[in-house]
Amino acid sequence: MRWWWQLKNDETDLERELRSDLELEEEEQREKGLPPEEARHAARRAFGNEALIKEQTREAWGWVPFERLLQDIRYSFRQLARNPGFAAITVFTLALGIGSTTSIFSIFYATLLRPLPFRDPGRLIILYSSIPAVGYVGPGSLTDPDFAQWQQQNEVFDQVAAFRGKTSNLTGSGVPERLVGATATASLFSVLGAAPELGRVFSADEQSAGRENVVLISHKLWARRFTSRPDILGKTIQLDGTPLTVLGVMPPQFQFPDQPDFWTPMVLTSDRSNAMDQVIARLRPNISLARAAEDVAIIQHRLAPEDRHDEIHLSFVFLKDIMGATVRPTLNILFASVAALLLIGCLNVANLFLTRSIARHHEIAMRRALGASRLRIIRQLLTESIIFAGFAALLGLALATVLGKTLAGLLPQSVPEPGSLYHAVVSQIDLRVLGFSLCVALATGVLFGLVPALSVSKSNLSSSLKESGGTHTVEAGSHRIRRSLIVCEFALTLVLLFAAGLLLKSFLRLLQVNPGFDPHNVAILNLELPETQYKEGAQMIAFHDALLTRIVSLPGVRAAGTVGFGLPFGDGGVRGDFTVYGEPQPPDVASKLAVSAGYFSAMGVPLVSGRWFNQQDSQQSQHVAIVSESFARRFWPGKDALGQRINPGFSGTGWCSIVGIAGDVKQSGLASSAPLTIYLPYPQAPDFLKSFMTIAVRADANRLDLLHALRSQVQSVDPDIPIFDASSMEDLVTKSISQPRLNTFLFVIFGAVALVLAAVGIYGVISYSVTQRQREIGIRMALGAERRSVMLMVVREGARLAFIGISAGLAAGFFVSRLIAVFLFEVTPNDPATFASVSILLGAVALAACYLPARRASRIDPMSALRSE
Amino acid sequence: MGKTQDRTALLQGTLDMLILRTLLYGPAHGHQIGKQIQRTTNEFLQMQHGSLYPALHRLERRGWVVSKWEMAPDRNREFKYYRLTEKGKKQLVVEESKWKRMAEAVARVMWPSAEES
């Protein structure tokens, strides 16, 4: 707007200059002896036409195009003010479309498309593996010796690094805390091009045994636990009871692999039994992914031809392709539906502009006749469209900011987990997207706003002027366009409504699912016993026995139990093969849970037959197991499973007698089916199931201080054990359906908005058509048509459009619904009931929207209608 | 519109040159420039002072002159004084040679004998 002030300045300056020179001339004339009055006239004569001079001077400034623009803008605002309803609807419709598209795409971009915060991220690759037998595709891993060979022998990587997730308990200063971290080769930092914010990263030397007691900490941990003190370097911190020297602090943006709080050097062993190392590498220029995979396959073959796992296929994927992979389908579908919403908005705006432009036909013809050039009129109409779009953009931007923040909060964030790759769902308003939606909106306005200008310039001016009030000529064609716009709008709306209906139905089904346990009033807390302090199984059993005894004796606690991994709705747990006594190895996999005696009553899992575990099921006693109902049915259909023997397939556990049958529990979410499950008493389970345990406590309702009490019980057994991820079963269940809830919520909103827009659209068209047909309707009524039949005639016109739109939408919905099939639970994508109900809903809304203009039509007074023409 | 443009275009070049030439003597305000041109042409160029201003402003936009509000020594109030810039001086040379060439060309047509002798 600077030029505007400049212009104002120049204007006053010119005024002053002319004034001063004119006065001087006048003075000189007076000095010559002329009387004042005559002197003034003489001066003016000598000076010439002042207005013309100003005009010509202004031309010299080169501001004229801007002044015309100013005029256009003023005129546009006058137009806006004259029809505030139109302006409000247009701006609101556009803002809705622009705002929602921008917010969704901003998340889309920031989460999925934004370049990764690493040096030259395009060439970073991750080892992937697929195991077709079990349908696994995901990050792959290698054994330490395999990785060492790869690092030396490959010819395809610039650099390669191994890493794995790791959790440790931080003790020593203040409350113990469980940290998620990573252990990695020193090459990780050079692969990613990361430098510490303080100190140095570890070197390859520190990967050797005896020198590995060093650690890098995250910026977050540094700030949280060490008040960002720079003298942290060289200090030692206690992780799992081991003192480690702090070498450096990593900057806040470095969060690889999964928002770790610390990084320790990986000491490569010669252990071939465990493939735990995930691999990231920087691909050499001009080497393809396939070529890299071949190269490493050769090395792999050379390494261990005897124990090659044919069933595991190793490959590589680009890091950028898998970041944010979990939210990608949701965002894709959201983006598509938001685009549909924007399209509906544009159709509506097109309709509105078209309606208005027909009404302005006369006005434009008049302005042409008065000498406005065609270009000038087009420029004027463009200015108007831009102003509309500008307002819409402002409002849309506000909407996008609010919506984006809300959505980013609602979308599932990735939780720090050992061994997974980090992605953050973030919202950052993307100006390019805002620009894009703005352009779409603008183009719509321009396209349909220009129709009258062009048609007037084509058609005969005088005939346009003769038409009173602007009707006819352009009428027939544009009305056809308007009708087709409405049909498109209805088709799109139906598709959105259909998707919303399917998701809603599916979500309601999901809510009715019985998880197999009673989630109410169950508190959950996790703890991990560090290997360094708890070496023997007996130590862990002693810890848990002591803790559970203390918890059960707390007032208000009804039952308490512990489960090693495998808490339902938790992080998955251990699954694997097993054998049934007297039968060949079954192809099935079972969930294997190590639980304490009180676990079942704490969780509210029903006992079908037999008994629960008890204190007698100790390390020394005969090995026993409880299986799930479906497990019993699968292997002993119609027979009693009690007393049968199974081998849970852990090294060290032999045959176990089945002593009880528990109800089926949906281990991994409401939408999943209950897996075959084997429960072992935890004293008899392998040690690794005992080191990480979840404690479930069923208490009286309203025990708000329960968590505090539980924490102090843990402290009293071992003050160095932190508890983490404290929650409740109800929260876990709610969280497990947060994704479908969000999808449903969004689609219902989208559907509702589309429905409103469609109603506005059809109302506009029918209402306009009634206005145009006022005379015809008047004649009909004068000739004796009943009010009812006039009403019916109008409604029929709307109903016809709605019907065509809905039919087209049904056809489209039939195909589109397949895209959301993956989000559906127990609902087929072509659910007839949903098809029927959304069609009826949309139809009813259309009829309701047509009712108002129809009623108006039926109340037309024939006399005044005929007179008004 | 078209006709006026042709005429001003013809006049413009000449007027611009005259203004630049006048300012070569030193800074002057619009009124002085007008008076000066009128006086030096012995009132031959009967121009209205007003037509100077569009030209002055145009020259200023092009950077050939700069302006400043200054106190007039004799009048005790401020006038907008125009001053020739370096660029303007160069432009004056260009305009001058252009005018000269044109004058010569016209002269050759009008008085061919003078050329021969």
Side-chain angles (χ1 to χ4, degrees), chain A residues 568-831:
Chain A
F569 293 72
D571 293 333
V574 178
R575 284 171 181 234
D577 43 18
F578 58 91
T579 41
V580 173
Y581 190 74
E583 283 187 41
Q585 168 105 24
D588 315 64
V589 289
S591 278
K592 304 168 193 177
L593 281 73
V595 300
S596 71
Y599 171 75
F600 299 95
S601 43
M603 290 291 284
V605 177
L607 183 67
V608 177
S609 65
R611 65 166 176 92
W612 293 134
F613 298 135
N614 56 39
Q615 298 302 321
Q616 275 70 53
D617 299 319
S618 68
Q619 242 182 326
Q620 290 77 31
S621 69
Q622 195 217 346
H623 283 195
V624 293
I626 291 175
V627 296
S628 64
E629 208 178 345
S630 54
F631 191 102
R633 214 182 306 121
R634 164 82 174 74
F635 293 101
W636 302 280
K639 281 190 274 180
D640 193 2
L642 296 179
Q644 304 283 358
R645 286 193 289 169
I646 55 169
N647 186 335
F650 293 123
S651 57
T653 51
W655 294 106
C656 307
S657 299
I658 296 174
V659 295
I661 295 168
D664 279 342
V665 172
K666 296 202 179 273
Q667 286 289 130
S668 44
L670 292 176
S672 69
S673 56
L676 302 175
T677 309
I678 301 171
Y679 298 94
L680 300 175
Y682 78 88
Q684 298 176 0
D687 284 351
F688 79 93
L689 284 183
K690 285 183 281 215
S691 62
F692 180 104
M693 296 208 83
T694 305
I695 295 174
V697 181
R698 177 170 297 276
D700 292 339
N702 308 321
R703 282 263 2 221
L704 295 176
D705 59 334
L706 183 62
L707 185 63
H708 185 71
L710 291 175
R711 194 187 292 272
S712 60
Q713 292 308 319
V714 174
Q715 299 279 296
S716 70
V717 178
D718 185 339
D720 279 349
I721 301 298
I723 67 175
F724 57 92
D725 292 348
S727 173
S728 70
M729 278 320 287
E730 261 177 311
D731 281 353
L732 288 186
V733 172
T734 309
K735 222 174 108 187
S736 78
I737 53 171
S738 64
Q739 177 76 61
R741 186 190 307 110
L742 175 69
N743 287 348
T744 310
F745 170 77
L746 286 176
F747 268 85
V748 168
I749 299 258
F750 292 161
V753 171
L755 196 62
V756 170
L757 291 179
V760 169
I762 198 163
Y763 169 82
V765 168
I766 299 302
S767 169
Y768 181 73
S769 140
V770 167
T771 312
Q772 296 299 302
R773 292 169 69 186
Q774 207 155 20
R775 194 182 148 98
E776 174 208 327
I777 292 169
I779 294 175
R780 279 170 189 265
M781 289 178 81
L783 292 178
E786 278 183 50
R787 291 188 185 283
R788 252 179 60 86
S789 67
V790 167
M791 237 172 116
L792 219 63
M793 178 184 78
V794 174
V795 170
R796 205 181 294 130
E797 186 189 352
R800 210 173 62 97
L801 292 181
F803 180 77
I804 300 173
I806 289 172
S807 315
L810 284 178
F814 187 79
F815 291 102
V816 172
S817 65
R818 278 153 212 224
L819 298 179
I820 60 163
V822 283
F823 298 105
L824 298 181
F825 170 71
E826 287 187 359
V827 177
T828 60
N830 292 321
D831 185 53

Side-chain angles (χ1 to χ4, degrees), chain A residues 17, chain B residues 19-30 32-33 56 59-60 62-71 79-89:
Chain A
E17 182 180 13
Chain B
I19 293 174
L20 291 176
R21 182 69 186 81
T22 310
L23 286 177
L24 204 56
Y25 298 120
H29 55 75
Q32 288 175 326
I33 297 170
L56 278 170
L59 295 181
E60 193 179 0
R62 290 183 188 164
W64 297 340
V65 301
V66 286
S67 67
K68 201 174 168 197
W69 284 89
E70 273 168 47
M71 204 62 107
F79 288 93
K80 195 173 181 184
Y81 278 90
Y82 292 86
R83 195 175 261 105
L84 204 57
T85 62
E86 277 309 308
K87 219 170 138 195
K89 280 180 193 155

Side-chain angles (χ1 to χ4, degrees), chain A residues 233-382:
Chain A
L233 296 183
K235 292 262 158 52
T236 54
I237 61 171
Q238 301 271 337
L239 284 183
D240 292 341
T242 310
L244 302 176
T245 308
V246 177
L247 280 188
V249 177
M250 294 306 286
Q253 70 274 14
F254 185 73
Q255 299 181 320
F256 191 88
D258 187 23
Q259 295 175 280
D261 268 330
F262 66 87
W263 294 262
T264 53
M266 183 187 274
V267 179
L268 296 175
T269 63
S270 55
D271 178 12
R272 290 207 89 92
S273 62
N274 254 332
M276 298 273 283
D277 301 344
Q278 290 182 261
V279 178
I280 184 167
R282 180 172 291 282
L283 204 57
R284 274 192 196 157
N286 306 320
I287 301 279
S288 70
L289 278 185
R291 165 87 176 75
E294 271 169 38
D295 189 271
V296 294
I298 293 167
I299 299 172
Q300 191 72 6
H301 188 71
R302 226 170 17 219
L303 279 178
E306 70 284 2
D307 59 20
R308 202 153 40 92
H309 292 289
D310 274 336
E311 64 272 29
I312 302 178
H313 300 291
L314 293 175
S315 60
F316 287 97
V317 292
F318 280 112
L319 183 63
K320 62 178 162 49
D321 292 338
I322 54 165
M323 291 298 238
T326 45
V327 282
R328 191 186 291 269
T330 311
L331 284 178
N332 278 338
I333 216 84
L334 274 183
F335 192 53
S337 36
V338 166
L341 207 61
L342 180 66
L343 192 58
I344 293 177
C346 284
L347 288 174
N348 243 10
V349 170
N351 237 326
L352 286 164
F353 265 82
L354 210 54
T355 309
R356 201 171 70 127
S357 63
I358 294 160
R360 289 178 67 183
H361 195 236
H362 187 72
E363 171 209 329
I364 288 165
M366 178 70 85
R367 293 176 60 196
R368 288 275 284 142
L370 289 178
S373 73
R374 186 169 152 186
L375 199 70
R376 189 86 171 77
I377 285 180
I378 288 177
R379 206 160 59 186
Q380 157 68 37
L381 290 171
L382 273 176

